[in-house]
Amino acid sequence: MEASDALAVMAALSHPTRLDAFRLLVRHSPDGLPTGALVDASGLTQSTFSTHLAVLAKAGLVSAERRGRQQVQRARLDTLRQLMTFLAKDCCQGRPELCEPLIAELACC
């Protein structure tokens, strides 16, 4: 992941509605959720929420799949993994033992 890609992903997640939606999709991975369920959880109108969904999709954080009459949204965990790797790549100046608490916290969840 390049710095410009990381900035685009972080910008997409910088809005509370988008961050909440993405975290909800992560919790429902790998199955995803119908768009209507995301709209309901957000408390927004369909048209307002679709704007937020478009921002997440453009940043590569969400993908959609049609299942019958529903659009199912899924978190792109590969993009999340790339962002996390980008942020931690040079962690601790070559002393990985300093990152062990972070890794342990992620492993427990």
Side-chain angles (χ1 to χ4, degrees), residues 12-103:
L13 293 173
S14 69
H15 189 281
T17 298
R18 294 191 294 265
L19 180 60
D20 289 347
F22 183 71
R23 292 185 74 208
L24 183 59
L25 287 172
V26 168
R27 284 192 299 274
H28 285 85
S29 285
D31 298 327
L33 286 172
T35 304
L38 289 168
V39 172
D40 292 344
S42 74
L44 300 172
T45 65
Q46 174 81 31
S47 61
T48 301
F49 186 79
S50 68
T51 302
H52 291 292
L53 197 55
V55 172
L56 291 170
K58 184 176 181 188
L61 288 163
V62 173
S63 63
E65 174 189 333
R66 181 160 295 287
R67 277 195 207 151
R69 293 176 19 177
Q70 291 184 332
Q71 278 289 97
V72 174
Q73 305 295 328
R74 287 195 177 93
R76 299 258 328 260
L77 298 180
D78 58 325
T79 301
L80 176 60
R81 185 173 40 257
Q82 290 171 17
L83 176 64
M84 293 170 69
T85 300
F86 174 82
L87 292 172
K89 189 146 188 133
D90 300 319
C91 179
C92 308
Q93 299 176 352
R95 295 174 43 208
E97 69 277 5
L98 297 176
C99 293
E100 287 177 9
L102 173 63
I103 293 166

